[in-house]
Amino acid sequence: MLNTPNANRTHIGIFGKMNSGKSSLLNAITNQNISIVSNFKGTTTDSVLKSMELIPYGPVLFIDTAGLNDSGEVGNLRVKKALDELKRVNFALFIMDGKDIDDSFYKEQLLNYKKYNIPHLLIINKKDLLSEEEIKYLANKYPEALIVSSNNSEDILNLKEHLINKLTIEESEPSLLGGLLPYNSLIVLVVPIDSEAPKGRLILPQVQILRDALDNGIQSIVVRDTELEEVLNKFKNIDLIITDSQAFKKVNEIVADRYPLTSFSILFARQKGDLKTFIEGIKAINNLKDGDYILISESCSHNTSHEDIGRVKIPNLLKKYTLKQINFEYSMGKDFPDDLNKYALIIHCGSCMLNKKIMMNRIAEVKKNNVPITNYGVTLAYLTGILEKSTKIFN
């Protein structure tokens, strides 16, 4: 862990006003005198970095920043530099002095965390200077906060435990679009409306992509494939087009080479699974023989129709592409076969209903049995002849 490069560590920023006790808390968390501590405001000027192993979570990098209420020409530069750290941290600790509660200042900082999609933990410091009445009041006002004293070992241990829990939850589900597109990008979501589309609502993958775009400050346009050409003529600064996999062929013909193109399913393959493994697994299609079995694995149960992607469209396209007599079996929800050796290929859905841990465990089990695995989006892109194009944005 000590040799883990900083770039591979979870970056945790420590923010707050001057003299809120940021440096004292860092020293207490790391059990070292990393940051200079004094009663004078503005002691921390440049950001102070400290790497450590946060057991049992793993390697992290703490970044102690200058006070966000500094003033003057130099002070403003320090504040700007502290706020610049928001662009690289994965998680923020906002420290508030229990004797200097500034709710408007805290709400102002929440806007920054929202802008950069940074989860945070509010810590009210200097508990040892507060009366019981003050502690009770603050606990009611900020129920999500931890009220601690940097001089109390039990408080620091509790803080570490809360931080580990928060980091573990955040890491379990990485962003669908974060890290792929910058803030203020523009995407177009192509949502065909057919018999598979539920009346009056969008399906879960589409909703999750929209929410992720909002979380990351990415602008979204939602359109049917029938109106896509008109949208492309109106907007010329599109960064990515995301389509339902079953409309890949039609959407690709409309988009041509004007903009990057991928699918909801491929984005979920990147988030929940292992896109590289899925792309490697697609090669098994060319080795299929008469009588081979393919498992179609779906993470949810739903009514099927003549347009069902997993039970109708993919099987029909595979038979047409390979000209082989292939047998298809299906698993749904939490069900996943124990005996995988009979399958020549496993094609998994986008797994929007599964968490990453479950999906990665399935991939590990498949690999242990030397069975190739891919997913809906990768399969449809390959059979449509645009796999390289639809995954180019991830390279």
Side-chain angles (χ1 to χ4, degrees):
M1 294 294 182
L2 294 177
N3 295 324
T4 303
N6 283 345
N8 294 339
R9 294 175 176 270
T10 299
H11 289 43
I12 304 170
I14 303 177
F15 303 92
K17 295 172 69 173
M18 293 186 293
N19 208 32
S20 59
K22 302 186 301 296
S23 299
S24 297
L25 272 176
L26 175 59
N27 290 343
I29 292 171
T30 60
N31 200 28
Q32 297 180 45
N33 290 323
I34 303 299
S35 296
I36 299 174
V37 177
S38 81
N39 292 324
F40 294 97
K41 293 184 177 181
T43 302
T44 302
T45 53
D46 294 327
S47 297
V48 177
L49 310 182
K50 172 55 184 176
S51 58
M52 68 173 290
E53 181 185 4
L54 197 59
I55 300 173
Y57 173 78
V60 300
L61 179 72
F62 285 100
I63 305 174
D64 184 16
T65 64
L68 295 176
N69 61 331
D70 209 342
S71 59
E73 185 176 350
V74 177
N76 290 335
L77 291 175
R78 292 173 182 167
V79 172
K80 182 180 183 303
K81 189 167 185 179
L83 291 175
D84 282 342
E85 298 289 3
L86 289 170
K87 298 176 182 179
R88 66 166 174 154
V89 302
N90 307 106
F91 195 91
L93 299 178
F94 184 80
I95 316 301
M96 191 185 299
D97 186 340
K99 286 292 188 181
D100 182 26
I101 299 299
D102 190 337
D103 193 59
S104 61
F105 186 81
Y106 173 52
K107 289 180 179 178
E108 180 181 335
Q109 303 313 310
L110 287 180
L111 294 177
N112 287 324
Y113 300 150
K114 183 177 181 180
K115 176 179 179 179
Y116 294 105
N117 192 31
I118 302 171
H120 81 286
L121 178 60
L122 173 61
I123 300 172
I124 298 177
N125 198 16
K126 304 184 181 180
K127 178 181 176 181
D128 50 331
L129 302 180
L130 303 175
S131 66
E132 289 296 325
E133 290 75 15
E134 288 174 319
I135 293 173
K136 184 177 181 179
Y137 169 78
L138 291 173
N140 288 329
K141 183 176 177 62
Y142 303 102
E144 77 282 6
L146 289 181
I147 304 176
V148 307
S149 168
S150 58
N151 298 318
N152 187 300
S153 59
E154 289 187 8
D155 285 352
I156 298 304
L157 181 61
N158 186 41
L159 166 57
K160 288 183 180 180
E161 290 176 352
H162 272 76
L163 178 57
I164 289 169
N165 289 335
K166 289 270 191 179
L167 292 174
T168 301
I169 292 171
E170 293 298 328
E171 186 180 65
S172 64
E173 293 297 342
S175 172
L176 285 157
L177 298 170
L180 183 64
L181 296 172
Y183 173 76
N184 216 28
S185 295
L186 176 64
I187 61 175
V188 176
L189 308 184
V190 184
V191 181
I193 301 299
D194 53 25
S195 62
E196 285 292 289
K199 185 175 178 60
R201 63 183 177 86
L202 299 175
I203 62 175
L204 186 58
Q206 297 158 0
V207 173
Q208 289 180 333
I209 292 286
L210 277 170
R211 176 54 194 262
D212 198 80
L214 290 170
D215 286 342
N216 287 281
I218 295 172
Q219 302 173 56
S220 305
I221 299 172
V222 183
V223 64
R224 297 183 301 182
D225 50 333
T226 47
E227 286 75 44
L228 177 59
E229 182 64 53
E230 185 177 350
V231 168
L232 298 185
N233 291 332
K234 284 183 178 180
F235 300 89
K236 304 300 181 183
N237 60 332
I238 298 169
D239 296 288
L240 179 64
I241 296 173
I242 306 168
T243 179
D244 190 282
S245 297
Q246 58 185 311
F248 248 144
K249 185 176 181 180
K250 181 177 181 180
V251 172
N252 180 57
E253 291 172 351
I254 296 172
V255 174
D257 294 322
R258 286 182 281 180
Y259 303 106
L261 171 67
T262 192
S263 74
F264 294 101
S265 185
I266 289 177
L267 282 170
F268 276 96
R270 171 180 176 264
Q271 182 207 35
K272 298 289 184 82
D274 183 343
L275 184 57
K276 183 178 179 181
T277 295
F278 291 155
I279 293 174
E280 183 67 24
I282 205 71
K283 297 177 182 178
I285 289 178
N286 293 316
N287 299 321
L288 291 172
K289 305 183 296 294
D290 287 330
D292 277 345
Y293 281 81
I294 291 179
L295 175 67
I296 305 291
S297 183
E298 301 173 300
S299 62
C300 63
S301 58
H302 59 273
N303 295 327
T304 60
S305 73
H306 67 285
E307 293 182 298
D308 188 81
I309 186 171
R311 294 176 178 261
V312 179
K313 290 192 174 182
I314 287 179
N316 287 342
L317 284 170
L318 281 171
K319 290 176 182 178
K320 182 178 179 180
Y321 180 87
T322 63
L323 300 177
K324 304 295 183 182
Q325 295 299 316
I326 303 169
N327 300 298
F328 294 91
E329 292 186 354
Y330 305 90
S331 67
M332 302 182 72
K334 295 181 180 179
D335 296 331
F336 198 68
D338 293 325
D339 182 13
L340 301 172
N341 291 315
K342 66 181 292 186
Y343 301 112
L345 176 64
I346 295 174
I347 304 177
H348 208 289
C349 70
S351 66
C352 64
M353 296 293 291
L354 303 178
N355 62 36
K356 185 176 180 68
K357 183 177 181 180
I358 293 175
M359 194 63 224
M360 292 307 295
N361 284 339
R362 288 187 176 183
I363 292 173
E365 187 67 21
V366 167
K367 285 184 174 181
K368 187 171 70 174
N369 287 273
N370 296 315
V371 179
I373 184 171
T374 188
N375 91 327
Y376 285 11
V378 174
T379 300
L380 289 169
Y382 180 77
L383 296 176
T384 311
I386 59 170
L387 179 58
E388 183 177 353
K389 177 180 180 179
S390 61
T391 57
K392 186 176 181 180
I393 192 170
F394 306 114
N395 298 332

